[in-house]
Amino acid sequence: MPKATPDEELRLPFFGHLEELRKRIIYSLLLIAVGFVICFSYSETILKVLMMPMNAKLHFQASFPFFTFVPNAVERKLHFTKLIESFWVHMKIGLIAGIILMFPLLAYQAWKFVAPGLVPKERRYAGYFVFFSTGFFAMGILFCFLVLLPVAVTFLLGYKTESLIPIITINEYIDFILKFLLASGAVFELPLIIVLLSRVGIVSPDWLAKRRKYAFLVSFILGAMLTPTPDAFNMTLMSLPIYLLYEVGILVARLFGKKKEPDSAEIAET
């Protein structure tokens, strides 16, 4: 049996991983609880922000801040049909907003769980992991809120509804918005996932590059699944970024992925 290298000897054993997992879950739950308390205190303000795609149109401009929401002529209201519905919606807003607020610290906890299974030279990438995972997640949230949601909500409210009066419940609307935001944030983590898979040797940039046509097809399938509207325009708005993120992942994996080691034949020739 080959002798373990000094780096491999420093890796955490299996039961140590279970103890580390328990510790990180506890820390993460505490962080989520703190985020919930903070965001629940501002849940009414957050609710007003989440209603912007329904009551305003996004207008882009050349000067800072480059975009603004223009209120609609008629402001729509949300309804609730159960006494406890409004309360639980505010609880839900506080929870999801708290998770989003604490995402950098939650990402750090995820890294702290993975790090004991890595060799010491790989553990120094903690800051990069937290920074890029938070950055990609934030970009996904912003892209969804500023681009996808205004288009999707406007389409759904105006599609063949000339003789209809929409009665939208607060629970239905908030579920729709929050799920869409979280799905978009998760999808934007694709480049980071590709880099991590490349670092551990599961995939390589060349392997991914040879399967671009399949990735293009899968991106449109995912776009159709994640987009709540049936039209091709909104599906394309979601699908193209997924494929572009795949290409970004290939590029970053070439720079930071695991370097290909020369095989024995190449070594013999040299």
Side-chain angles (χ1 to χ4, degrees), residues 212-259:
R212 279 191 171 99
K213 58 183 179 181
Y214 302 111
F216 189 78
L217 175 62
V218 170
S219 67
F220 271 83
I221 293 174
L222 288 175
M225 293 171 60
L226 295 174
T227 304
T229 59
D231 63 301
F233 178 72
N234 283 305
M235 184 184 72
T236 304
L237 276 180
M238 189 66 182
S239 302
L240 286 182
I242 294 175
Y243 180 74
L244 291 176
L245 289 167
Y246 181 83
E247 292 290 344
V248 171
I250 294 176
L251 177 62
V252 179
R254 292 190 188 278
L255 297 175
F256 301 104
K258 187 176 182 180
K259 303 302 180 184

Short mmCIF file of all heavy atoms in Angstrom, two decimals, residues 212-259:
data_model
loop_
_atom_site.label_atom_id
_atom_site.label_comp_id
_atom_site.label_asym_id
_atom_site.label_seq_id
_atom_site.Cartn_x
_atom_site.Cartn_y
_atom_site.Cartn_z
N ARG A 212 -20.33 21.21 -25.89
CA ARG A 212 -21.03 22.49 -25.95
C ARG A 212 -22.45 22.35 -26.50
O ARG A 212 -23.38 22.99 -26.01
CB ARG A 212 -20.25 23.48 -26.82
CG ARG A 212 -19.08 24.15 -26.10
CD ARG A 212 -18.54 25.28 -26.95
NE ARG A 212 -17.58 26.08 -26.22
CZ ARG A 212 -16.26 25.94 -26.34
NH1 ARG A 212 -15.77 25.02 -27.16
NH2 ARG A 212 -15.44 26.71 -25.65
N LYS A 213 -22.62 21.52 -27.53
CA LYS A 213 -23.95 21.40 -28.14
C LYS A 213 -24.95 20.81 -27.16
O LYS A 213 -26.13 21.20 -27.15
CB LYS A 213 -23.89 20.58 -29.42
CG LYS A 213 -23.35 19.17 -29.25
CD LYS A 213 -23.26 18.45 -30.59
CE LYS A 213 -22.69 17.04 -30.44
NZ LYS A 213 -22.60 16.36 -31.75
N TYR A 214 -24.48 19.87 -26.32
CA TYR A 214 -25.38 19.31 -25.31
C TYR A 214 -25.68 20.35 -24.23
O TYR A 214 -26.81 20.43 -23.73
CB TYR A 214 -24.75 18.06 -24.69
CG TYR A 214 -24.41 16.99 -25.69
CD1 TYR A 214 -23.09 16.68 -25.98
CD2 TYR A 214 -25.42 16.30 -26.36
CE1 TYR A 214 -22.77 15.70 -26.91
CE2 TYR A 214 -25.11 15.31 -27.29
CZ TYR A 214 -23.78 15.02 -27.56
OH TYR A 214 -23.49 14.05 -28.48
N ALA A 215 -24.67 21.13 -23.87
CA ALA A 215 -24.87 22.19 -22.87
C ALA A 215 -25.87 23.23 -23.38
O ALA A 215 -26.69 23.74 -22.60
CB ALA A 215 -23.55 22.85 -22.53
N PHE A 216 -25.79 23.54 -24.66
CA PHE A 216 -26.73 24.50 -25.25
C PHE A 216 -28.16 23.98 -25.16
O PHE A 216 -29.09 24.72 -24.80
CB PHE A 216 -26.34 24.76 -26.71
CG PHE A 216 -27.09 25.89 -27.35
CD1 PHE A 216 -26.77 27.20 -27.09
CD2 PHE A 216 -28.16 25.62 -28.20
CE1 PHE A 216 -27.47 28.25 -27.67
CE2 PHE A 216 -28.86 26.66 -28.80
CZ PHE A 216 -28.51 27.97 -28.53
N LEU A 217 -28.33 22.69 -25.46
CA LEU A 217 -29.66 22.08 -25.39
C LEU A 217 -30.16 22.05 -23.95
O LEU A 217 -31.32 22.40 -23.67
CB LEU A 217 -29.61 20.66 -25.97
CG LEU A 217 -30.90 19.84 -25.87
CD1 LEU A 217 -32.02 20.51 -26.65
CD2 LEU A 217 -30.66 18.42 -26.37
N VAL A 218 -29.30 21.63 -23.03
CA VAL A 218 -29.69 21.55 -21.62
C VAL A 218 -30.03 22.93 -21.06
O VAL A 218 -30.95 23.08 -20.25
CB VAL A 218 -28.57 20.89 -20.79
CG1 VAL A 218 -28.86 21.00 -19.29
CG2 VAL A 218 -28.42 19.42 -21.17
N SER A 219 -29.29 23.96 -21.51
CA SER A 219 -29.57 25.31 -21.02
C SER A 219 -30.97 25.76 -21.41
O SER A 219 -31.67 26.40 -20.61
CB SER A 219 -28.52 26.30 -21.56
OG SER A 219 -28.65 26.46 -22.96
N PHE A 220 -31.43 25.39 -22.60
CA PHE A 220 -32.79 25.76 -23.01
C PHE A 220 -33.84 24.91 -22.30
O PHE A 220 -34.94 25.38 -22.03
CB PHE A 220 -32.94 25.66 -24.53
CG PHE A 220 -32.56 26.92 -25.24
CD1 PHE A 220 -31.23 27.20 -25.53
CD2 PHE A 220 -33.52 27.86 -25.58
CE1 PHE A 220 -30.86 28.37 -26.16
CE2 PHE A 220 -33.17 29.04 -26.21
CZ PHE A 220 -31.83 29.31 -26.50
N ILE A 221 -33.49 23.67 -21.99
CA ILE A 221 -34.42 22.84 -21.21
C ILE A 221 -34.58 23.42 -19.80
O ILE A 221 -35.70 23.55 -19.29
CB ILE A 221 -33.92 21.38 -21.15
CG1 ILE A 221 -33.96 20.75 -22.55
CG2 ILE A 221 -34.76 20.57 -20.17
CD1 ILE A 221 -33.36 19.37 -22.61
N LEU A 222 -33.45 23.80 -19.18
CA LEU A 222 -33.50 24.41 -17.86
C LEU A 222 -34.24 25.75 -17.90
O LEU A 222 -35.02 26.08 -17.00
CB LEU A 222 -32.10 24.61 -17.30
CG LEU A 222 -31.35 23.36 -16.87
CD1 LEU A 222 -29.92 23.71 -16.46
CD2 LEU A 222 -32.08 22.67 -15.71
N GLY A 223 -33.99 26.51 -18.97
CA GLY A 223 -34.67 27.79 -19.11
C GLY A 223 -36.17 27.62 -19.21
O GLY A 223 -36.94 28.39 -18.61
N ALA A 224 -36.62 26.59 -19.94
CA ALA A 224 -38.05 26.33 -20.06
C ALA A 224 -38.64 25.88 -18.72
O ALA A 224 -39.78 26.22 -18.39
CB ALA A 224 -38.29 25.26 -21.12
N MET A 225 -37.86 25.13 -17.93
CA MET A 225 -38.34 24.65 -16.64
C MET A 225 -38.41 25.78 -15.61
O MET A 225 -39.33 25.83 -14.79
CB MET A 225 -37.44 23.53 -16.12
CG MET A 225 -37.49 22.25 -16.95
SD MET A 225 -36.23 21.06 -16.46
CE MET A 225 -36.66 20.78 -14.74
N LEU A 226 -37.43 26.68 -15.64
CA LEU A 226 -37.35 27.73 -14.63
C LEU A 226 -38.21 28.93 -14.97
O LEU A 226 -38.60 29.68 -14.08
CB LEU A 226 -35.89 28.18 -14.46
CG LEU A 226 -34.93 27.13 -13.90
CD1 LEU A 226 -33.50 27.65 -13.93
CD2 LEU A 226 -35.31 26.75 -12.48
N THR A 227 -38.49 29.14 -16.26
CA THR A 227 -39.27 30.31 -16.67
C THR A 227 -40.75 30.04 -16.45
O THR A 227 -41.28 29.04 -16.94
CB THR A 227 -39.02 30.64 -18.15
OG1 THR A 227 -37.63 30.81 -18.36
CG2 THR A 227 -39.74 31.92 -18.54
N PRO A 228 -41.43 30.91 -15.73
CA PRO A 228 -42.86 30.66 -15.42
C PRO A 228 -43.80 30.99 -16.57
O PRO A 228 -44.98 30.72 -16.49
CB PRO A 228 -43.12 31.60 -14.24
CG PRO A 228 -42.16 32.73 -14.44
CD PRO A 228 -40.93 32.12 -15.07
N THR A 229 -43.29 31.61 -17.63
CA THR A 229 -44.15 31.98 -18.75
C THR A 229 -43.89 31.04 -19.92
O THR A 229 -42.77 30.55 -20.10
CB THR A 229 -43.88 33.43 -19.19
OG1 THR A 229 -42.50 33.55 -19.57
CG2 THR A 229 -44.15 34.39 -18.06
N PRO A 230 -44.91 30.80 -20.76
CA PRO A 230 -44.75 29.82 -21.85
C PRO A 230 -44.15 30.39 -23.13
O PRO A 230 -43.92 29.64 -24.07
CB PRO A 230 -46.20 29.36 -22.09
CG PRO A 230 -47.03 30.56 -21.75
CD PRO A 230 -46.31 31.25 -20.63
N ASP A 231 -43.90 31.69 -23.18
CA ASP A 231 -43.45 32.28 -24.44
C ASP A 231 -41.95 32.07 -24.63
O ASP A 231 -41.18 31.95 -23.68
CB ASP A 231 -43.78 33.77 -24.49
CG ASP A 231 -43.05 34.54 -23.39
OD1 ASP A 231 -43.25 34.22 -22.21
OD2 ASP A 231 -42.29 35.44 -23.73
N ALA A 232 -41.52 32.06 -25.90
CA ALA A 232 -40.13 31.80 -26.24
C ALA A 232 -39.20 32.94 -25.82
O ALA A 232 -38.04 32.71 -25.49
CB ALA A 232 -40.00 31.57 -27.74
N PHE A 233 -39.72 34.17 -25.80
CA PHE A 233 -38.87 35.32 -25.46
C PHE A 233 -38.36 35.21 -24.03
O PHE A 233 -37.16 35.35 -23.77
CB PHE A 233 -39.65 36.62 -25.65
CG PHE A 233 -38.86 37.85 -25.27
CD1 PHE A 233 -37.82 38.30 -26.06
CD2 PHE A 233 -39.16 38.54 -24.10
CE1 PHE A 233 -37.08 39.42 -25.71
CE2 PHE A 233 -38.44 39.67 -23.75
CZ PHE A 233 -37.39 40.11 -24.54
N ASN A 234 -39.25 34.97 -23.06
CA ASN A 234 -38.84 34.86 -21.67
C ASN A 234 -37.97 33.62 -21.43
O ASN A 234 -37.05 33.65 -20.62
CB ASN A 234 -40.07 34.81 -20.76
CG ASN A 234 -40.68 36.18 -20.58
OD1 ASN A 234 -40.02 37.12 -20.18
ND2 ASN A 234 -41.96 36.30 -20.90
N MET A 235 -38.27 32.54 -22.15
CA MET A 235 -37.45 31.35 -22.03
C MET A 235 -36.03 31.63 -22.50
O MET A 235 -35.05 31.19 -21.89
CB MET A 235 -38.05 30.20 -22.84
CG MET A 235 -37.31 28.88 -22.67
SD MET A 235 -37.96 27.57 -23.73
CE MET A 235 -37.39 28.11 -25.34
N THR A 236 -35.90 32.38 -23.59
CA THR A 236 -34.58 32.73 -24.11
C THR A 236 -33.84 33.65 -23.14
O THR A 236 -32.61 33.53 -22.97
CB THR A 236 -34.72 33.42 -25.48
OG1 THR A 236 -35.44 32.56 -26.36
CG2 THR A 236 -33.34 33.71 -26.08
N LEU A 237 -34.56 34.56 -22.48
CA LEU A 237 -33.93 35.44 -21.50
C LEU A 237 -33.28 34.66 -20.38
O LEU A 237 -32.27 35.09 -19.81
CB LEU A 237 -34.98 36.39 -20.91
CG LEU A 237 -35.31 37.65 -21.69
CD1 LEU A 237 -36.37 38.46 -20.94
CD2 LEU A 237 -34.07 38.51 -21.92
N MET A 238 -33.82 33.51 -20.04
CA MET A 238 -33.25 32.68 -18.98
C MET A 238 -32.23 31.70 -19.52
O MET A 238 -31.22 31.42 -18.87
CB MET A 238 -34.37 31.91 -18.27
CG MET A 238 -33.93 31.19 -17.01
SD MET A 238 -33.44 32.35 -15.72
CE MET A 238 -32.94 31.23 -14.42
N SER A 239 -32.46 31.19 -20.72
CA SER A 239 -31.61 30.13 -21.26
C SER A 239 -30.24 30.64 -21.70
O SER A 239 -29.22 29.99 -21.45
CB SER A 239 -32.31 29.44 -22.44
OG SER A 239 -33.55 28.91 -22.04
N LEU A 240 -30.21 31.78 -22.39
CA LEU A 240 -28.93 32.30 -22.88
C LEU A 240 -27.94 32.59 -21.76
O LEU A 240 -26.76 32.24 -21.87
CB LEU A 240 -29.16 33.53 -23.75
CG LEU A 240 -29.74 33.27 -25.14
CD1 LEU A 240 -29.88 34.58 -25.90
CD2 LEU A 240 -28.85 32.30 -25.92
N PRO A 241 -28.35 33.23 -20.66
CA PRO A 241 -27.40 33.42 -19.56
C PRO A 241 -26.86 32.10 -18.99
O PRO A 241 -25.69 32.04 -18.60
CB PRO A 241 -28.23 34.17 -18.50
CG PRO A 241 -29.26 34.89 -19.27
CD PRO A 241 -29.60 33.97 -20.40
N ILE A 242 -27.71 31.05 -18.96
CA ILE A 242 -27.23 29.76 -18.46
C ILE A 242 -26.10 29.24 -19.35
O ILE A 242 -25.06 28.78 -18.87
CB ILE A 242 -28.38 28.74 -18.40
CG1 ILE A 242 -29.41 29.17 -17.36
CG2 ILE A 242 -27.86 27.35 -18.07
CD1 ILE A 242 -30.65 28.28 -17.31
N TYR A 243 -26.30 29.33 -20.68
CA TYR A 243 -25.25 28.86 -21.58
C TYR A 243 -24.01 29.74 -21.49
O TYR A 243 -22.88 29.23 -21.52
CB TYR A 243 -25.76 28.82 -23.02
CG TYR A 243 -24.70 28.33 -23.98
CD1 TYR A 243 -24.36 26.99 -24.02
CD2 TYR A 243 -24.02 29.23 -24.80
CE1 TYR A 243 -23.37 26.54 -24.88
CE2 TYR A 243 -23.03 28.78 -25.66
CZ TYR A 243 -22.70 27.44 -25.69
OH TYR A 243 -21.71 27.00 -26.53
N LEU A 244 -24.18 31.05 -21.39
CA LEU A 244 -23.03 31.94 -21.25
C LEU A 244 -22.26 31.66 -19.96
O LEU A 244 -21.02 31.71 -19.94
CB LEU A 244 -23.50 33.40 -21.28
CG LEU A 244 -24.03 33.90 -22.62
CD1 LEU A 244 -24.56 35.33 -22.48
CD2 LEU A 244 -22.95 33.85 -23.70
N LEU A 245 -22.98 31.32 -18.90
CA LEU A 245 -22.31 30.94 -17.65
C LEU A 245 -21.52 29.65 -17.83
O LEU A 245 -20.46 29.48 -17.21
CB LEU A 245 -23.35 30.77 -16.54
CG LEU A 245 -24.00 32.07 -16.04
CD1 LEU A 245 -25.21 31.74 -15.17
CD2 LEU A 245 -23.01 32.92 -15.26
N TYR A 246 -22.03 28.74 -18.65
CA TYR A 246 -21.29 27.51 -18.96
C TYR A 246 -19.98 27.84 -19.66
O TYR A 246 -18.92 27.29 -19.31
CB TYR A 246 -22.16 26.62 -19.84
CG TYR A 246 -21.54 25.29 -20.22
CD1 TYR A 246 -21.58 24.21 -19.36
CD2 TYR A 246 -20.91 25.13 -21.46
CE1 TYR A 246 -21.02 22.99 -19.71
CE2 TYR A 246 -20.35 23.92 -21.82
CZ TYR A 246 -20.41 22.85 -20.94
OH TYR A 246 -19.84 21.65 -21.29
N GLU A 247 -20.02 28.77 -20.61
CA GLU A 247 -18.81 29.17 -21.31
C GLU A 247 -17.84 29.87 -20.36
O GLU A 247 -16.62 29.67 -20.43
CB GLU A 247 -19.16 30.09 -22.48
CG GLU A 247 -19.90 29.42 -23.61
CD GLU A 247 -19.01 28.44 -24.38
OE1 GLU A 247 -17.78 28.51 -24.24
OE2 GLU A 247 -19.57 27.61 -25.12
N VAL A 248 -18.37 30.71 -19.46
CA VAL A 248 -17.53 31.36 -18.46
C VAL A 248 -16.86 30.32 -17.57
O VAL A 248 -15.68 30.42 -17.23
CB VAL A 248 -18.35 32.35 -17.62
CG1 VAL A 248 -17.54 32.86 -16.42
CG2 VAL A 248 -18.81 33.52 -18.47
N GLY A 249 -17.63 29.28 -17.21
CA GLY A 249 -17.08 28.21 -16.39
C GLY A 249 -15.92 27.49 -17.08
O GLY A 249 -14.91 27.16 -16.44
N ILE A 250 -16.04 27.25 -18.39
CA ILE A 250 -14.95 26.62 -19.14
C ILE A 250 -13.71 27.50 -19.13
O ILE A 250 -12.59 27.02 -18.89
CB ILE A 250 -15.39 26.32 -20.59
CG1 ILE A 250 -16.51 25.28 -20.61
CG2 ILE A 250 -14.20 25.85 -21.42
CD1 ILE A 250 -17.06 25.01 -21.99
N LEU A 251 -13.91 28.80 -19.37
CA LEU A 251 -12.79 29.73 -19.39
C LEU A 251 -12.08 29.79 -18.04
O LEU A 251 -10.85 29.72 -17.96
CB LEU A 251 -13.29 31.12 -19.80
CG LEU A 251 -12.24 32.24 -19.81
CD1 LEU A 251 -11.14 31.94 -20.81
CD2 LEU A 251 -12.90 33.58 -20.11
N VAL A 252 -12.86 29.91 -16.97
CA VAL A 252 -12.27 30.01 -15.64
C VAL A 252 -11.62 28.69 -15.24
O VAL A 252 -10.57 28.67 -14.58
CB VAL A 252 -13.33 30.42 -14.60
CG1 VAL A 252 -12.73 30.50 -13.21
CG2 VAL A 252 -13.94 31.77 -14.97
N ALA A 253 -12.21 27.55 -15.66
CA ALA A 253 -11.62 26.25 -15.35
C ALA A 253 -10.27 26.08 -16.03
O ALA A 253 -9.37 25.44 -15.49
CB ALA A 253 -12.57 25.13 -15.78
N ARG A 254 -10.10 26.67 -17.23
CA ARG A 254 -8.79 26.61 -17.89
C ARG A 254 -7.74 27.37 -17.10
O ARG A 254 -6.55 27.01 -17.09
CB ARG A 254 -8.88 27.18 -19.30
CG ARG A 254 -9.71 26.34 -20.27
CD ARG A 254 -9.57 26.84 -21.69
NE ARG A 254 -10.48 26.18 -22.60
CZ ARG A 254 -10.27 24.98 -23.14
NH1 ARG A 254 -9.15 24.33 -22.86
NH2 ARG A 254 -11.14 24.44 -23.97
N LEU A 255 -8.17 28.43 -16.42
CA LEU A 255 -7.22 29.26 -15.67
C LEU A 255 -6.94 28.70 -14.28
O LEU A 255 -5.78 28.71 -13.83
CB LEU A 255 -7.78 30.69 -15.54
CG LEU A 255 -7.99 31.47 -16.84
CD1 LEU A 255 -8.65 32.80 -16.57
CD2 LEU A 255 -6.65 31.67 -17.55
N PHE A 256 -7.98 28.19 -13.61
CA PHE A 256 -7.83 27.81 -12.21
C PHE A 256 -8.11 26.34 -11.94
O PHE A 256 -8.02 25.90 -10.78
CB PHE A 256 -8.77 28.66 -11.33
CG PHE A 256 -8.51 30.13 -11.44
CD1 PHE A 256 -9.37 30.94 -12.17
CD2 PHE A 256 -7.41 30.71 -10.83
CE1 PHE A 256 -9.14 32.30 -12.27
CE2 PHE A 256 -7.18 32.07 -10.95
CZ PHE A 256 -8.04 32.86 -11.66
N GLY A 257 -8.48 25.58 -12.97
CA GLY A 257 -8.76 24.17 -12.76
C GLY A 257 -7.49 23.36 -12.56
O GLY A 257 -6.37 23.87 -12.61
N LYS A 258 -7.70 22.07 -12.33
CA LYS A 258 -6.57 21.17 -12.12
C LYS A 258 -5.79 21.01 -13.42
O LYS A 258 -6.36 20.72 -14.46
CB LYS A 258 -7.08 19.81 -11.65
CG LYS A 258 -5.97 18.85 -11.25
CD LYS A 258 -6.57 17.55 -10.70
CE LYS A 258 -5.47 16.60 -10.25
NZ LYS A 258 -6.04 15.34 -9.72
N LYS A 259 -4.48 21.25 -13.35
CA LYS A 259 -3.65 21.15 -14.54
C LYS A 259 -3.47 19.69 -14.94
O LYS A 259 -3.29 18.82 -14.10
CB LYS A 259 -2.28 21.78 -14.29
CG LYS A 259 -2.34 23.25 -13.86
CD LYS A 259 -3.05 24.11 -14.87
CE LYS A 259 -3.10 25.57 -14.43
NZ LYS A 259 -3.87 26.41 -15.36
#
